[in-house]
Amino acid sequence: MQKFPVPEEFALKQTAPKIAGSGVITGGDKVVCAYDLVEQMEYFYVRVVRAKELPGKDVTGSCDPYVEVKLGNYKGVTKHFEKKSNPEWNLVFAFSQDQLQASHVEVVVKDKDVVLDDFIGRVSFDLVDIPRRVPPDSPLAPQWYKLDDKKGEKLKKGEIMLALWKGTQADEAFSDAWHSDAAAVGSEGVSKIRGKVYLSPRLWYVRVNVIQCQDLLPSDKSRPPEVCVKVVLGNQALKTKVSSVKSVNPSWNEDLVFVAAEPFEDPLIITVEDRVAPNKDEILGRCVMLLNTVSRRLDNKPVPAKWHNLEKHSLVEGQKKEAKFSSKIHLRISLDGGYHVLDESTYYSSDYRPSSKLLWKSSIGILELGIISATGLSLMKSKDGRGTTDAYCVAKYGPKWVRTRTIIDNVSPKWNEQYTWEVFDPCTVITIGVFDNGHLQGGVDTSIGKVRIRLSTLETDRVYTHSYPLIVLKPSGVKKMGEVQLAVRFSCTSYLNMLHKYIYPLLPKMHYVHPLSVIQLDVLRYQAIQIVSARLGRAEPPLKKEAIEYMLDVGSHIWSVRKAKANFVRIMNIMSGVAAVAKWFDQICQWKNPLTTILIHILFVILVLYPELIFPTLFLYLFFIGIWNYRWKPRHPPHMDIRLSHADAVGPDELDEEFDTFPTSKSSDIVRMRYDRLRSIGGRIQTVIGDLAMQGERFQSLLSWRDPRASALFVVVCLVAAVALYITPFQIVILLAGCFVLRHPKLRSKVPGPWTNFFKRLPARSDLML
């Protein structure tokens, strides 16, 4: 429980956007039904397809044509073609009706020139006459229109094919269109601001079990070889230990695990090396394998091991001769499809399915996200002497990443884009990040903030509309970078199937049958993030590495005093419940409230006389507590808490340490001061762990005869207790023990009891510590 409320600035706010899903607006519009988690935005679309028989000014009669679409103060321009009278553009322009300042649209065809572009012809349309199109109706068929000259008379030659209609963001042309709110972006930069959907590559763990080698041929046969095996897969390289068998037939039986992504492009390169000197290795042979030829396994059954020939490379470049004899290496290589390759933190992962599709279960529901708008975004960069922000959103759930279009130069952008994901596990988290598009100016994308929503905290089929604060920790302290308005709905196809998921293991079976070490998982997660970043960075438009790493929380494991304090407070909050029960029981024993103590005595006597009522009473008590707490159940999804994170109480030096590079870039004096502070914190942790270990060792020493007198006393007491418990009915023993514990304070001694004193006198292994 928090002592002080979170400041209103950083609190979650419920909103009431005009969306159909929340019941704010109603109607039978098909768009409203399909896009019911976002506000409907009206657009005027112009599709410029192509032109024919355009008149030219030069001797050959050709021109360098391009098209301008003018609507009020907004003007969209296509690219120009050189020396072409029949150009084809097939480009869509989208003008927001909220920003329209004219009653007609004008399409002008011009001839590109070095000094002044020449006018070829134009076509004008009244907006009142433009038809409205609602998906899933088929796209409007484009038509040929004759061009007019400057006087409004028809040209003898020159036609342009156009399609004009009114629609919403549900239109198929919306995502690839040039938008009026990005009028400052040229045709070359339009591709960098479009919204897209990306899919992460399917990742696999590659297990290489290096068993042994035979008939190696080291150059120096006078010394026993010290052989190890190096395996390279793309940017990943691992080595086995030096074989304990120092001969030409070494053995290891060691596993090396890598991450690979479909389609498998990088080969597996196995090299056998002899350590001839501390910094010098001699290659004894190598072999190359394609992952497409590797066996795939779904369980813990080993795949067949195979012998492979080792190619011996000549020292002279280009010299190659056919070998009649070759050394061999014994390997067991498999693509392990029974694991889930972790690229996210296990605390807030969005997917737990194994790599192999053969092990996938059917989906349990649908997650729908409406990214509506943002308000009060911080100015992220300078442009023309003033601050500006070009914001877009990225949402990640499972292998599907979505990116909204970029709204240019607006600190309160409205996206109103809706996306859908299949849900396979309710205990997963969707992450939504807001970024500033820096690639329009040749920079990097800067993070503004992010939001995490755990699906298990959402009620099914309910629409949550909230404005989430974008909270980040800066070197200067915690800061609110703005707010993002979202609409979320989690729908399940079968409630029983969803409840059934709660009794299944969180991770696939292989994580428990043949677990990977914590160090292995950290290294493999880093490699998985690098592979995902590289693949999504090759898309068009690319999803940049800095955005991916921010969404996947790269570097979240780095030491921080703030996080250590926050985790300590979290543990204390958990223990506060146990402490509260202990305090309540102590008050009963001390007769602070005699009526309550008497009632506890009556309940205790009943449970002793009828022990079969103990567990039913316990579970009934828990049932009533749960029903009682239902009144205070959370009504809103959780969000980032600055008080829980200790972000509002962190000192400047602690912030400077948290944002320091790894390895550190600070001076030796600062590092020495931080090291001393870390030693102080570690000393307190060390003392607590030592105390816990000492209590456990005292229990062990009861029968270890480390203290012969204490062990003798304990053995005698155990014998007496066994005889007494055999003679006395069990109910009488419990009743007497309970009455002794609940006795009146006047019957209590102010010094510790004999059992406590006896236990504290027992020896522990702390005497053996240096």
Side-chain angles (χ1 to χ4, degrees):
M1 299 294 292
Q2 294 179 353
K3 290 185 178 180
F4 306 101
V6 176
E8 185 67 24
E9 179 186 6
F10 300 100
L12 185 71
K13 301 173 185 175
Q14 189 165 6
T15 59
K18 296 179 180 180
I19 61 176
S22 63
V24 176
I25 61 173
T26 58
D29 196 335
K30 298 176 185 176
V31 178
V32 172
C33 297
Y35 282 68
D36 61 342
L37 294 185
V38 292
E39 296 177 349
Q40 188 169 316
M41 300 177 68
E42 299 291 337
Y43 284 90
F44 171 64
Y45 291 96
V46 180
R47 181 186 295 276
V48 180
V49 184
R50 58 178 176 266
K52 66 179 180 180
E53 300 179 353
L54 296 177
K57 300 289 184 178
D58 60 3
V59 179
T60 61
S62 60
C63 58
D64 303 334
Y66 69 93
V67 176
E68 284 184 355
V69 181
K70 297 179 180 179
L71 185 57
N73 293 329
Y74 295 99
K75 180 175 67 174
V77 182
T78 69
K79 65 178 181 180
H80 76 278
F81 291 94
E82 293 184 0
K83 308 299 182 182
K84 198 167 186 179
S85 299
N86 299 307
E88 183 172 347
W89 295 280
N90 199 25
L91 182 63
V92 179
F93 298 87
F95 298 88
S96 175
Q97 291 202 10
D98 294 340
Q99 303 170 344
L100 296 186
Q101 301 172 349
S103 58
H104 68 280
V105 60
E106 192 175 67
V107 181
V108 182
V109 182
K110 291 187 175 182
D111 183 8
K112 187 74 174 177
D113 199 359
V114 178
V115 181
L116 183 65
D117 297 344
D118 296 322
F119 176 88
I120 296 178
R122 65 184 171 192
V123 184
S124 183
F125 301 91
D126 199 334
L127 296 184
V128 179
D129 301 328
I130 303 300
R132 179 175 175 80
R133 175 185 174 255
V134 180
D137 291 349
S138 298
L140 197 66
Q143 300 180 33
W144 286 105
Y145 296 92
K146 284 189 173 291
L147 296 174
D148 298 338
D149 59 14
K150 292 183 177 180
K151 298 179 181 179
E153 298 178 358
K154 300 294 181 184
L155 295 175
K156 293 181 180 180
K157 281 187 177 184
E159 293 182 73
I160 187 169
M161 180 180 282
L162 302 172
L164 301 93
W165 71 95
K166 296 176 182 177
T168 66
Q169 72 266 39
D171 201 288
E172 294 91 340
F174 177 80
S175 60
D176 291 329
W178 174 95
H179 292 268
S180 58
D181 52 15
V185 179
S187 57
E188 298 82 6
V190 170
S191 63
K192 297 180 181 178
I193 64 172
R194 286 173 176 162
K196 292 294 178 183
V197 175
Y198 305 84
L199 289 177
S200 294
R202 192 142 59 101
L203 302 175
W204 293 72
Y205 284 144
V206 181
R207 187 182 297 273
V208 180
N209 179 228
V210 183
I211 304 173
Q212 59 182 334
C213 289
Q214 279 190 357
D215 303 326
L216 297 178
L217 299 174
S219 58
D220 185 4
K221 297 182 180 180
S222 62
R223 52 174 287 275
E226 298 181 6
V227 184
C228 66
V229 177
K230 179 180 179 181
V231 183
V232 178
L233 179 62
N235 295 325
Q236 308 168 67
L238 293 176
K239 272 188 177 183
T240 66
K241 299 176 182 177
V242 174
S243 174
S244 57
V245 180
K246 292 180 170 54
S247 71
V248 295
N249 299 314
S251 62
W252 295 272
N253 196 24
E254 186 174 339
D255 278 353
L256 304 177
V257 184
F258 303 85
V259 179
E262 291 185 347
F264 303 117
E265 299 173 348
D266 297 318
L268 199 64
I269 304 173
I270 299 103
T271 307
V272 180
E273 300 178 350
D274 180 16
R275 185 168 300 171
V276 296
N279 295 319
K280 183 179 179 183
D281 294 331
E282 178 192 358
I283 297 177
L284 302 181
R286 67 193 293 269
C287 65
V288 179
M289 297 189 62
L290 299 178
L291 291 182
N292 292 323
T293 63
V294 171
S295 302
R296 304 187 183 195
R297 68 171 185 172
L298 309 180
D299 50 25
N300 200 30
K301 296 179 181 178
V303 298
K306 296 181 181 180
W307 287 97
H308 302 272
N309 292 333
L310 290 173
E311 301 175 359
K312 180 70 174 178
H313 287 267
S314 175
L315 297 176
V316 181
E317 187 177 355
Q319 181 179 347
K320 188 176 181 181
K321 55 184 179 180
E322 187 176 349
K324 297 180 181 180
F325 173 83
S326 64
S327 305
K328 295 183 179 295
I329 185 170
H330 200 198
L331 301 172
R332 182 180 284 112
I333 306 176
S334 62
L335 287 165
D336 288 357
Y339 293 93
H340 170 70
V341 180
L342 293 167
D343 58 346
E344 303 168 287
S345 171
T346 52
Y347 301 126
Y348 26 79
S349 181
S350 62
D351 191 14
Y352 295 106
R353 290 176 295 168
S355 300
S356 176
K357 286 186 176 181
L358 299 175
L359 299 177
W360 289 4
K361 306 292 184 182
S362 58
S363 64
I364 62 166
I366 297 294
L367 172 64
E368 297 168 276
L369 173 67
I371 304 175
I372 300 175
S373 62
T375 56
L377 297 181
S378 298
L379 300 175
M380 303 303 295
K381 57 178 177 286
S382 179
K383 181 180 178 182
D384 299 331
R386 60 182 180 85
T388 182
T389 299
D390 305 326
Y392 69 91
C393 281
V394 174
K396 198 266 183 192
Y397 184 80
K400 180 179 175 181
W401 300 67
V402 299
R403 168 180 170 165
T404 67
R405 70 192 190 281
T406 301
I407 306 299
I408 303 298
D409 195 11
N410 195 337
V411 295
S412 298
K414 292 184 178 180
W415 294 286
N416 284 303
E417 298 183 25
Q418 184 170 336
Y419 300 95
T420 304
W421 289 266
E422 279 189 300
V423 177
F424 294 87
D425 194 312
C427 301
T428 45
V429 176
I430 181 173
T431 305
I432 303 100
V434 184
F435 299 88
D436 173 62
N437 194 327
H439 286 78
L440 298 175
Q441 288 78 32
V444 297
D445 291 356
T446 309
S447 59
I448 299 177
K450 65 183 168 188
V451 175
R452 297 192 197 100
I453 303 174
R454 186 172 292 275
L455 270 60
S456 60
T457 63
L458 305 177
E459 297 179 12
T460 55
D461 298 318
R462 175 184 168 184
V463 176
Y464 290 83
T465 54
H466 291 87
S467 183
Y468 294 82
L470 298 172
I471 305 171
V472 296
L473 193 65
K474 298 280 188 179
S476 57
V478 66
K479 183 179 180 181
K480 179 181 175 182
M481 305 292 286
E483 296 182 4
V484 60
Q485 186 178 7
L486 305 173
V488 185
R489 177 170 56 206
F490 171 41
S491 309
C492 68
T493 53
S494 172
Y495 203 78
L496 289 177
N497 288 343
M498 183 180 67
L499 294 180
H500 196 223
K501 281 288 182 182
Y502 279 85
I503 64 174
Y504 267 81
L506 193 63
L507 292 168
K509 183 178 178 181
M510 282 292 289
H511 284 271
Y512 307 98
V513 176
H514 195 178
L516 300 169
S517 67
V518 175
I519 297 176
Q520 271 185 309
L521 288 175
D522 287 342
V523 174
L524 293 172
R525 184 192 169 207
Y526 172 78
Q527 297 296 343
I529 292 174
Q530 299 306 309
I531 292 174
V532 171
S533 300
R535 287 289 179 91
L536 299 187
R538 289 160 56 184
E540 185 58 40
L543 193 57
K544 292 299 181 178
K545 181 179 181 180
E546 56 267 23
I548 295 172
E549 291 184 347
Y550 180 72
M551 296 286 288
L552 297 178
D553 283 287
V554 173
S556 59
H557 63 284
I558 299 297
W559 160 260
S560 164
V561 175
R562 174 188 62 85
K563 291 180 183 178
K565 289 181 179 178
N567 288 331
F568 176 76
V569 172
R570 289 169 62 192
I571 294 174
M572 296 306 297
N573 286 337
I574 293 173
M575 298 302 295
S576 63
V578 179
V581 173
K583 183 178 179 181
W584 170 78
F585 186 73
D586 182 66
Q587 289 177 349
I588 289 174
C589 295
Q590 297 294 334
W591 291 69
K592 298 290 185 182
N593 189 338
L595 178 61
T596 303
T597 304
I598 293 172
L599 291 176
I600 292 297
H601 275 83
I602 296 173
L603 177 62
F604 174 70
V605 172
I606 293 173
L607 293 179
V608 170
L609 297 178
Y610 303 97
E612 65 273 8
L613 297 179
I614 293 176
F615 285 108
T617 302
L618 174 63
F619 287 114
L620 190 63
Y621 178 69
L622 295 176
F623 168 78
F624 281 117
I625 290 178
I627 296 299
W628 181 262
N629 289 339
Y630 180 80
R631 298 183 302 167
W632 296 286
K633 73 170 184 176
R635 303 291 176 181
H636 310 300
H639 68 292
M640 304 214 178
D641 191 332
I642 62 167
R643 190 61 49 81
L644 181 66
S645 304
H646 263 57
D648 58 338
V650 62
D653 180 65
E654 295 173 358
L655 283 170
D656 185 58
E657 179 184 14
E658 186 166 347
F659 285 93
D660 192 8
T661 58
F662 187 85
T664 182
S665 58
K666 300 298 179 179
S667 64
S668 58
D669 293 338
I670 296 177
V671 173
R672 184 182 298 108
M673 182 270 295
R674 291 176 180 172
Y675 174 65
D676 291 338
R677 180 176 61 193
L678 186 59
R679 289 176 65 191
S680 175
I681 297 172
R684 290 194 290 269
I685 297 174
Q686 170 185 290
T687 302
V688 173
I689 295 175
D691 289 342
L692 293 174
M694 185 167 58
Q695 307 310 321
E697 289 168 354
R698 281 173 174 169
F699 272 108
Q700 290 180 340
S701 66
L702 284 171
L703 296 173
S704 68
W705 295 87
R706 177 65 181 169
D707 183 342
R709 286 161 294 278
S711 295
L713 281 172
F714 182 70
V715 169
V716 172
V717 169
C718 288
L719 177 61
V720 174
V723 174
L725 291 174
Y726 181 75
I727 299 173
T728 311
F730 183 69
Q731 287 91 339
I732 300 299
V733 174
I734 297 297
L735 186 61
L736 292 176
C739 292
F740 176 78
V741 172
L742 297 173
R743 68 192 185 278
H744 198 276
K746 292 182 179 180
L747 303 176
R748 297 175 182 273
S749 173
K750 294 184 179 180
V751 297
W755 298 110
T756 304
N757 297 330
F758 175 75
F759 183 77
K760 288 185 176 180
R761 290 178 179 275
L762 291 172
R765 304 189 72 183
S766 55
D767 305 338
L768 311 180
M769 298 288 291
L770 292 175

